[in-house]
């Protein structure tokens, strides 16, 4: 993607997300990172573009430090910390210390943070013979006062502590708290900013519909593919990193199925990962989305400038023939495009020839950022099915550099005699195009 395209994407997303709400859970291990100030600065930039922000800090590292320093015993049962009631005061100390550090960093950006006790909780109690002590479960989030704080221009900071009606406090998961808050706010985005949490296709098997970035990061996973992803990669039974990733994936999925537009897992060890994820299609982390993220549809006249930009590098390299704006507008009804968040990322045309009961697939172009996403094959299958439904005997393509790719779909070499007369008259012999045909009947 060129710098110009990146700038266009950023402007489009700034307009799209103005007045939207982003809930971000921040791993407290990042507080000691040299990148922490940069992450908060990036949140300040988002705030200045009109995005509403809610921060839910994790406190796992700080809680461990403080409990150890005061010689309070604790352990993990699964992913839940267990201490007795004596440890809760120290847990609150740690959780509010983390929240205060974030609020101080916001103040340095001239932003107003506010720490609130918007969360009600109950004790987890005794489960399978294990007394979970100070560990709690969320029972309610007071969403109306939280919304008022947001509308008044504050950035709410929600510690990972909940209270009962009589003022007893419990330690709750910041990841669960962020997900529940995002659901109740109908947030546009839920971010999990975690230290070292990178989801790479080098380490994990990506589901078939996932988008893989040019640097081999798994950029997106549909909610429909989450359990497959977890199962195929054996995340539920192998190591702390994988278990946490499975937890994040499931919480992100649950949020998306209950009012949140998209969830994102971000590696806090990467500078600029927050704006990189929100202001570009391919992002900088891993997005969890419902199945309506990208759509195939017919081309409209207003899409023509974007389609010309998409085709330009393919025309430059001689893969596609040049087409004018007027030509594309005249043939708009022949084109199918793939749209992501208002951007056109793939296109192709299906041109019928009634005299010989056949059709040509032409002008196939897929944005380089989506070359590993499966969008190209999905587009081809769509056009082939459309040709079959129309009752055509065969479809054909003319190509100079993509024969191998078309052969994957069953296309076979053929001679000029197979083409309709109308197409032969327009054929440029100097290009030396290969003719490939797929029989449908």
């Amino acid at each position: 993607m060129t710098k110009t395209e990146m700038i266009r994407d950023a402007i489009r997303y700034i307009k799209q997300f103005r007045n939207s709400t982003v809930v971000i859970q921040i791993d407290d291990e990042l507080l000691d990172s040299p990148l922490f100030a940069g992450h908060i600065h990036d949140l300040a930039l988002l705030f200045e573009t009109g995005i509403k922000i809610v921060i839910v800090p994790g406190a796992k590292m700080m809680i461990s430090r403080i409990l150890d320093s005061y010689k309070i015993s604790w352990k993990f049962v699964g992913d839940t910390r267990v201490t007795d009631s004596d440890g809760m005061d120290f847990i609150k100390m740690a959780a509010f210390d983390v929240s205060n550090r974030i609020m101080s960093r916001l103040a340095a950006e001239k932003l107003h943070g506010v720490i609130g006790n918007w969360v009600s909780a109950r004790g987890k109690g005794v489960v399978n013979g294990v007394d979970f002590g100070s560990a709690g479960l969320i029972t309610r989030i007071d969403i109306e006062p939280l919304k008022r704080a947001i509308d008044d221009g504050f950035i709410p900071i929600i510690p990972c502590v909940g209270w009962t009606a009589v003022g007893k406090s419990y330690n709750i998961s910041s990841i669960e708290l962020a997900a529940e808050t995002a659901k109740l706010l109908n947030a546009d985005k839920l971010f999990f900013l975690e230290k070292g949490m990178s989801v790479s296709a080098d380490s994990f098997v990506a589901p078939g519909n996932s988008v893989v970035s040019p640097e081999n990061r798994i950029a997106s996973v549909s909610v429909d593919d989450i359990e497959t992803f977890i199962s195929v990669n054996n995340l539920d039974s192998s190591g702390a990193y994988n278990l946490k990733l499975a937890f994040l994936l499931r919480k992100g999925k649950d949020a998306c199925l209950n009012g949140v537009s998209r969830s994102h897992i971000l590696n806090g060890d990467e500078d600029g990962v927050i704006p990189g994820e929100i202001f570009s299609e391919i992002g900088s982390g891993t997005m969890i989305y419902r199945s309506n993220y990208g759509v195939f549809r017919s081309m409209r006249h207003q899409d023509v400038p974007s389609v010309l930009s998409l085709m330009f590098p393919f025309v430059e390299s001689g893969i596609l023939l040049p087409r004018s704006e007027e030509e594309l507008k005249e043939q708009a009804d022949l084109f199918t495009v793939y749209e992501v968040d208002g951007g056109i990322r793939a296109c192709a045309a299906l041109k019928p020839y009634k005299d010989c009961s056949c059709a040509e697939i032409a002008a196939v172009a897929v944005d380089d950022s989506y070359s590993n996403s499966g969008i190209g094959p999905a587009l081809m299958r769509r056009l082939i099915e459309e040709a079959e439904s129309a009752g055509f005997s065969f479809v054909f393509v003319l190509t100079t550099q993509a024969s191998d790719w078309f052969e994957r779909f069953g296309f076979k070499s053929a001679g000029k005699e197979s083409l309709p007369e109308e197409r032969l008259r327009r054929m440029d012999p100097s290009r030396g195009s290969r003719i490939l045909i797929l029989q449908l009947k």
Side-chain angles (χ1 to χ4, degrees):
M1 184 177 287
T2 67
K3 287 184 179 179
T4 300
E5 290 170 326
M6 292 171 65
I7 292 169
R8 287 172 179 160
D9 277 352
I11 293 171
R12 177 159 50 84
Y13 278 109
I14 287 170
K15 291 169 64 179
Q16 178 178 337
F17 290 114
R18 187 176 293 125
N19 296 319
S20 64
T21 300
V22 172
V23 176
I24 178 165
Q25 181 263 346
I26 302 179
D27 184 349
D28 72 320
E29 287 192 58
L30 297 172
L31 268 64
D32 295 333
S33 166
L35 298 178
F36 175 65
H39 290 319
I40 299 299
H41 179 68
D42 288 338
L43 288 179
L45 293 176
L46 298 191
F47 189 82
E48 289 172 6
T49 67
I51 294 174
K52 301 169 185 177
I53 295 170
V54 178
I55 298 175
V56 182
K60 182 177 180 180
M61 179 190 71
M62 188 63 69
I63 290 170
S64 297
R65 285 180 182 175
I66 289 181
L67 291 176
D68 288 345
S69 68
Y70 284 91
K71 296 181 171 52
I72 303 294
S73 63
W74 59 273
K75 63 180 179 180
F76 276 103
V77 177
D79 57 2
T80 302
R81 186 190 303 272
V82 177
T83 67
D84 58 27
S85 57
D86 292 338
M88 194 58 221
D89 286 340
F90 299 101
I91 289 173
K92 283 191 292 185
M93 183 191 305
F96 278 85
D97 178 59
V98 170
S99 295
N100 278 307
R101 287 179 64 179
I102 290 176
M103 188 163 67
S104 297
R105 193 66 248 175
L106 289 173
E109 298 288 341
K110 297 182 170 52
L111 297 177
H112 301 292
V114 57
I115 300 171
N117 59 341
W118 295 285
V119 184
S120 299
R122 65 172 177 83
K124 192 168 183 177
V126 179
V127 181
N128 296 325
V130 177
D131 187 343
F132 281 85
S134 60
L137 299 172
I138 300 165
T139 57
R140 183 168 56 87
I141 298 173
D142 292 329
I143 210 68
E144 292 308 318
L146 181 60
K147 286 180 178 178
R148 286 197 293 272
I150 295 169
D151 291 340
D152 288 341
F154 290 95
I155 296 179
I157 304 168
I158 311 178
C160 55
V161 175
W163 282 264
T164 68
V166 296
K168 187 175 182 179
S169 55
Y170 287 100
N171 182 204
I172 54 181
S173 162
S174 64
I175 293 171
E176 289 187 357
L177 178 55
E180 290 303 311
T181 302
K183 285 157 59 174
L184 290 170
L185 289 172
N186 290 315
D188 296 271
K189 289 189 176 290
L190 167 63
F191 285 167
F192 299 116
L193 185 65
E194 294 285 335
K195 181 174 176 58
M197 187 59 70
S198 178
V199 189
S200 170
D202 295 327
S203 304
F204 300 101
V205 178
N209 293 323
S210 299
V211 172
V212 178
S213 73
E215 66 272 19
N216 230 23
R217 168 178 44 85
I218 300 175
S220 64
V221 182
S222 165
V223 293
D224 299 328
D225 290 330
I226 292 297
E227 290 303 324
T228 299
F229 182 89
I230 291 170
S231 175
V232 166
N233 291 287
N234 199 30
L235 299 186
D236 277 332
S237 58
S238 55
Y241 184 96
N242 286 357
L243 288 170
K244 185 169 188 179
L245 176 56
F247 187 52
L248 291 169
L249 289 166
R250 288 190 171 117
K251 287 300 172 183
K253 171 186 174 180
D254 177 60
C256 286
L257 293 175
N258 290 278
V260 178
S261 297
R262 292 166 197 170
S263 303
H264 306 256
I265 299 171
L266 306 181
N267 182 3
D269 290 337
E270 293 183 11
D271 189 28
V273 68
I274 297 171
E277 181 72 2
I278 201 169
F279 291 140
S280 67
E281 284 171 12
I282 206 70
S284 52
T286 297
M287 178 178 71
I288 301 163
Y289 67 96
R290 293 191 296 270
S291 57
N292 60 351
Y293 166 56
V295 294
F296 288 108
R297 60 169 175 80
S298 297
M299 188 171 77
R300 304 165 186 149
H301 282 189
Q302 59 264 38
D303 299 324
V304 169
S306 297
V307 171
L308 286 170
S309 294
L310 174 65
M311 289 180 173
F312 181 74
F314 298 95
V315 174
E316 285 273 281
S317 62
I319 295 173
L320 293 183
L321 288 168
R323 289 168 171 83
S324 68
E325 183 175 355
E326 292 74 18
E327 184 180 359
L328 285 182
K329 286 182 177 178
E330 289 174 1
Q331 298 178 355
D333 61 327
L334 304 180
F335 274 81
T336 296
V337 298
Y338 182 74
E339 177 189 352
V340 179
D341 287 340
I344 304 301
R345 296 307 173 205
C347 70
L350 182 68
K351 180 176 174 55
Y353 294 89
K354 298 290 178 63
D355 293 344
C356 68
S357 185
C358 66
E360 177 183 9
I361 294 177
V364 180
V366 179
D367 189 302
D368 187 56
S369 299
Y370 287 78
S371 59
N372 295 321
S373 68
I375 299 306
L379 178 56
M380 283 295 297
R381 289 192 294 270
R382 183 183 179 93
L383 295 179
I384 292 168
E385 289 172 6
E386 186 178 330
E388 286 177 324
S389 298
F392 293 121
S393 299
F394 66 90
V395 289
F396 67 90
V397 297
L398 273 67
T399 182
T400 56
Q401 301 176 37
S403 298
D404 292 338
W405 190 76
F406 287 111
E407 286 171 358
R408 291 166 48 188
F409 305 97
F411 283 83
K412 299 184 183 302
S413 295
K416 293 180 181 180
E417 67 279 359
S418 303
L419 298 184
E421 284 294 326
E422 179 186 344
R423 187 62 183 91
L424 278 173
R425 287 195 299 270
R426 293 189 292 107
M427 191 171 177
D428 181 1
S430 67
R431 281 180 59 81
S433 299
R434 295 177 179 174
I435 300 168
L436 300 175
I437 283 180
L438 175 65
Q439 293 291 341
L440 302 178
K441 291 184 178 180

